[in-house]
Each structure stands twice: as C-alpha cells, then as structure tokens.
C-alpha cells in the first residue's frame, strides 16, 4: 500500500461513517497532511451538534465503528469536548472529536506505508466552504434534530 492507497482507504472510512449518521450531517474536507510514511485525511462537520445531542451523535459513530471491527483505544467523556479514538485491524487510527460550538471533526491517520504522491479526495463535500477561507468556520448549519436545544447561529449573533 502506498500513500495514495492509504488516502483512498481513509476516504472510504470517512464516507462510510458519515453515511451512517441519520439524519445526515453536512461536512467539508479538512486538510490532508503527510508525514514521512503516513497520510491523514480529515472531515469537519458543519452541522451544529447541540450539547443535548452530542451523546447520541457519538453513540451512532461508536456503534458503527464497533460493528465495523474497529477497536476502541480511548474515550474522552469530557462534557464539552468528548472524543472517541479507534484503531482498525490494518493499523489505521480513526477519531471523532467534538470541539468548540459542537463542531465534530473526523480524522483518519494511516499506518506507515510506501511514500507516493497523494491526490485530493474525490469525495464530494456536502457543505459549502468559501475557497478563499483560510480556516474552516465554526458549525453554521442548523439541523432540526442534531441542533435541537442549541441557539441558532442567527439568534446568537455569530
């Protein structure tokens, strides 16, 4: 396996977990980074996940990962910044972290593989990201389900 193969496998893992979340959430690509023999793919959820729904969100992801044969390596049960870390049978490390304003971040780190060029992901993001933006903004898409109980972006002035 080379870095491109690993990136494609990471995209498959990210696509499958995001497809499992119902109702669906909207997301954008985070930066792809490469080490000397590893590649990391990222997705950032732009749907607001309210504090009241974070447990459900993490539960859906955790159950899918366990059903997929991933082994949980760590859980952070911090109320404002929960996270799940898992490892696949072939050495990929996968995580879901919830950060500021309930923004969820998915990350897949490959094991050490053969060095190669890595193309951009061919998975189509489901949320719009301004191509001029230097940073991914905080979550700004309301979901009747996932954002339940959270103030809307317009109401909070952000």
């Amino acid at each position: 396996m080379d870095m491109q193969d690993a990136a494609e496998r990471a995209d498959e893992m990210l696509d499958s977990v995001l497809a499992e979340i119902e109702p669906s959430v909207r997301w954008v690509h985070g930066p792809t980074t490469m080490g000397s023999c590893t590649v990391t793919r990222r997705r950032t959820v732009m749907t607001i996940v309210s504090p009241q729904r974070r447990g459900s969100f993490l539960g859906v992801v955790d159950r899918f990962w366990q059903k997929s044969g991933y082994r949980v390596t760590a859980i952070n049960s911090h109320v404002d910044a929960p996270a799940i870390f898992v490892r696949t049978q072939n050495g990929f490390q996968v995580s879901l972290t919830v950060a500021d304003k309930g923004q969820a971040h998915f990350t897949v780190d490959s094991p050490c593989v053969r060095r190669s060029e890595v193309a951009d992901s061919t998975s189509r993001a489901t949320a719009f990201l301004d191509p001029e933006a230097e940073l991914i903004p905080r979550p700004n898409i309301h979901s009747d389900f996932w954002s339940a109980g959270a103030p809307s972006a317009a109401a909070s002035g952000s």
Side-chain angles (χ1 to χ4, degrees):
M1 178 179 285
D2 66 17
M3 292 172 101
Q4 179 61 40
D5 297 327
E8 290 171 7
R9 179 67 189 114
D11 285 337
E12 291 168 7
M13 287 186 267
L14 292 164
D15 289 344
S16 60
V17 71
L18 285 159
E20 191 72 17
I21 299 168
E22 287 296 329
S24 63
V25 292
R26 308 276 296 280
W27 59 270
V28 296
H29 289 281
T32 294
T33 54
M34 291 159 289
S36 60
C37 68
T38 60
V39 62
T40 300
R41 290 279 213 216
R42 297 173 177 86
R43 306 261 174 96
T44 297
V45 175
M46 297 306 298
T47 301
I48 299 162
V49 180
S50 70
Q52 297 86 339
R53 297 289 191 200
R54 287 181 197 153
S56 297
F57 187 82
L58 272 78
V60 167
V61 171
D62 181 48
R63 284 188 296 279
F64 174 73
W65 283 345
Q66 290 196 39
K67 183 178 75 175
S68 300
Y70 299 2
R71 184 176 54 83
V72 174
T73 57
I75 293 178
N76 178 354
S77 54
H78 188 280
V79 69
D80 292 324
I84 304 170
F85 301 88
V86 299
R87 185 178 182 92
T88 68
Q89 292 175 345
N90 55 358
F92 284 80
Q93 297 193 57
V94 188
S95 65
L96 164 59
T97 56
V98 179
D100 194 35
K101 306 289 185 198
Q103 190 159 48
H105 301 275
F106 289 92
T107 304
V108 177
D109 297 308
S110 78
C112 189
V113 294
R114 242 181 11 266
R115 188 151 185 78
S116 72
E117 294 294 315
V118 176
D120 289 341
S121 175
T122 58
S123 299
R124 294 186 64 122
T126 58
F128 174 76
L129 183 60
D130 181 348
E132 302 299 313
E134 291 185 23
L135 298 173
I136 296 173
R138 289 194 170 95
N140 55 15
I141 298 172
H142 180 82
S143 158
D144 288 344
F145 181 78
W146 293 115
S147 308
S152 69
S156 66
S158 40

